[in-house]
Amino acid sequence: MGAQSVGTAGAGRPYALKAKKRGLKAFKITAAALWLVICIFPFYWSIVTSLKPLNEIMIFSLWPKSPTWLNFKDAFLNKDLVRAVFNTVGVTVAGMGVNIAVSLLAGYAFARIRFRGGKAMFKIMQASMMLPFAVMFIPTYIVLARFPLVGGNNILGQGGYGFVGQETQFLGIILPSCVSVYNIFFLRQFFLTLPNELGESAKIDGARELRIFALIYLPLMRPAVATLAIFTFQSGWNNYFWPYILGQGQYKVLTIVLRQYYTAIAPDHGVAMAFNLIITIPMILFFIVFQRYFMSGLTAGSVKE
Amino acid sequence: MEKQLTPRRRPVTKMQRKTDFTGWCFVLPAVLLFFCFILLPIVISVVTSFSDFNGINKYEPWGFHNYVEIFTRDITRFRKSILNLGLYVVLFVPLNIFLSMGLALLVSKRTKTNKYIRMAFYIPSLTSGIAVASVWAWMLNPEAGIINIFLSSMGIPKVNWLNDPNIAMVTVVIVALWNGCGANMVLYVAAIQGVNESLIEAAKIEGAGAFKITTKITIPLLRPITFFVMTTVFIGAFQLYDTVVMLFPSGGPQNSALTPIMAINRAINDGFLYGRASAMSVILLLIVSALTFVLQKLNKETY
């Protein structure tokens, strides 16, 4: 009997292991499926809501009984939509262009040029890298409103509206996004990974620093720039806080227009959801096209630590 | 600029001078913008926090008056917002790390299916807080929202997601988790995939099961990434605004969802109290700096 039990134990162990493995796998699949549903459901629900006619919205059903495009029609007829797309893309691309150009130059110098004071300057910048915009948005507003010689201001920054006036506020929205210590840091790290010899040999040939930068190193920076551009575009498309604070909701970007549906006295959920999808779907398509850059860009940020 | 130079014996060569010039030319645009929109705002913040500045024409030094006011007659409920922030962090940080690490462990294997699942997991992180919260506000609607309908069909009493001061921050955390886990999962996946294969092979030979390998090898090796996630989540918490303002436009019932940014905004919108708002910014600045300092210290000690 003793021998028998030993025998079964010996034979049973692989079975037990297999069962355990199968159990683990089943658990994994269930958990992943559950989260998948949680991830997708809000999107599904906004599609369903946007396709429901007004009289169905408050009645619960998992799909529209008589689907209609009326909500989308209303959303597309919103006179602010075209203006908002134009504003959002314009402000984002302008800020992004300046930001990346400025960061490339600075990142290159901090990585490759051994100039006096450079290290100290970089340290000062780095110290501010972790500060959230939340701690300085009020004084940034003051700086922009009191900027000398702009928007009716005199040399001391008095008398006008600076960059927060009606005509100049788009510049006020762009300017703070023109510099990002994180981007400088990110590009500097990237420049450091490129081999030194490339520039050295060119220097012997008597090339100027700017030529070395533009002709030798810049082409190699394409993947890093693509990553930054994609993330900057994403955050620009989604940005709400700064355009709202600066323009008090007057400067129409997509998120501000979306929010207006909810600050209305009686929000029309169907149209609001349709508008929400109109601004969300382009971002999802953008992600699917560039997903390789998204994934590698996210991790590049953490590896630097 | 020259002052920062460490005392060096040998004289500065003409070559070095030229390099200095080139270097500063390269960084000049960045330095100017940095000065105007990062450094100067911080300085202005500190200076005006000791004054009765109203943003336009009043400017008298006020000593610590603004700070004293915040701690005694806190009219914009800034202290409440800091407490809310604390509650948010206490709930959000562990849940976020647990969820994003768990999800990453589920889908970290390099297969085609996993790649698509990971993409789907990331999609909630793509959209803006405003868009995210607009859907959730609708789903959490106390009467017609699908979540309460779902709960009551399971026999669970309805939850007053948007009007109960005890629930408000929980609601914010749920939405933030849905919005934020995808991005952190990507980080964890990369870290898990980077774990040395030979370590795992060796453990397998020693007879360790999948569970043991995960808990004893993989998770401890994820510590640096966890610190990174913690730091970004902590700092991100101070930015909390878009989703909250969408769910709780006026700070929620009894200010239970008021965030620091909303409190600062109140000081400006309700009374042009720029000095007060600056004082709040300075307090936030000190908290953030202390937090990042502690986190970095802890991170270094673990190595």
Side-chain angles (χ1 to χ4, degrees), chain A residues 35 38-39 41 49 58 102 105 114 116 128 133-135 139 234 238 241 245 262 273 276 280 287 298-299 305, chain B residues 2 16 20 24 30 41 122 126-128 131 134-135 138 144 146 178 187 190 228 239 241 246 261 265 281:
Chain A
W35 188 256
I38 294 174
C39 277
F41 187 79
T49 310
M58 284 301 179
V102 161
L105 283 170
R114 311 189 75 199
R116 289 175 298 155
S128 75
F133 191 52
V135 307
Q234 184 203 8
N238 292 337
F241 178 62
I245 296 290
Y262 290 90
M273 284 303 129
N276 187 348
T280 304
F287 166 67
L298 277 171
T299 42
E305 286 293 292
Chain B
E2 314 296 303
Q16 180 64 46
D20 290 349
W24 281 102
Y122 184 70
L126 276 177
T127 44
S128 68
S134 74
V135 185
W138 168 229
I146 186 162
W178 184 81
L187 296 181
F228 177 78
Q239 306 276 53
Y241 182 75
M246 201 68 191
I261 290 186
N265 258 341
S281 304

Side-chain angles (χ1 to χ4, degrees), chain A residues 87-299:
Chain A
N87 283 349
T88 309
V89 174
V91 164
T92 306
V93 170
M96 179 167 90
V98 178
N99 187 321
I100 291 179
V102 161
S103 305
L104 274 169
L105 283 170
Y108 176 80
F110 286 136
R112 302 245 150 230
I113 306 176
R114 311 189 75 199
F115 62 108
R116 289 175 298 155
K119 262 194 187 140
M121 193 64 234
F122 186 64
K123 278 259 160 65
I124 294 172
M125 285 188 170
Q126 224 184 345
S128 75
M129 194 161 76
M130 287 299 182
L131 295 180
F133 191 52
V135 307
M136 46 194 169
F137 72 99
I138 294 295
T140 304
Y141 183 89
I142 298 173
V143 170
L144 288 166
R146 296 275 152 261
F147 213 89
L149 303 174
V150 185
N153 279 348
N154 60 19
I155 189 109
L156 295 169
Q158 299 294 324
Y161 295 102
F163 283 120
V164 301
Q166 228 18 299
E167 282 85 42
T168 48
Q169 56 181 234
F170 73 100
L171 282 170
I173 293 168
I174 293 170
L175 275 170
S177 68
C178 286
V179 62
S180 145
V181 177
Y182 175 78
N183 287 359
I184 295 173
F185 189 88
F186 176 84
L187 291 175
R188 174 182 170 268
Q189 295 299 90
F190 206 92
F191 274 119
L192 285 175
T193 61
L194 302 175
N196 244 330
E197 293 75 36
L198 291 173
E200 292 301 323
S201 58
K203 226 173 226 169
I204 294 162
D205 297 341
R208 284 281 209 76
E209 201 69 56
L210 196 61
R211 278 179 74 96
I212 300 176
F213 165 74
L215 297 178
I216 299 175
Y217 285 106
L218 211 50
L220 298 171
M221 294 298 284
R222 227 173 267 156
V225 169
T227 306
L228 280 191
I230 278 166
F231 279 100
T232 318
F233 187 79
Q234 184 203 8
S235 61
W237 185 266
N238 292 337
N239 195 8
Y240 172 76
F241 178 62
W242 186 236
Y244 178 75
I245 296 290
L246 190 95
Q248 294 298 309
Q250 288 167 1
Y251 192 79
K252 302 271 185 286
V253 294
L254 288 167
T255 44
I256 286 177
V257 179
L258 174 60
R259 173 111 205 270
Q260 275 171 354
Y261 283 103
Y262 290 90
T263 44
I265 296 160
D268 185 340
H269 289 286
V271 186
M273 284 303 129
F275 195 88
N276 187 348
L277 287 167
I278 292 171
I279 72 173
T280 304
I281 288 171
M283 203 61 238
I284 294 177
L285 294 177
F286 183 72
F287 166 67
I288 291 171
V289 172
F290 293 108
Q291 59 91 16
R292 202 161 50 90
Y293 288 100
F294 267 94
M295 297 304 179
S296 63
L298 277 171
T299 42

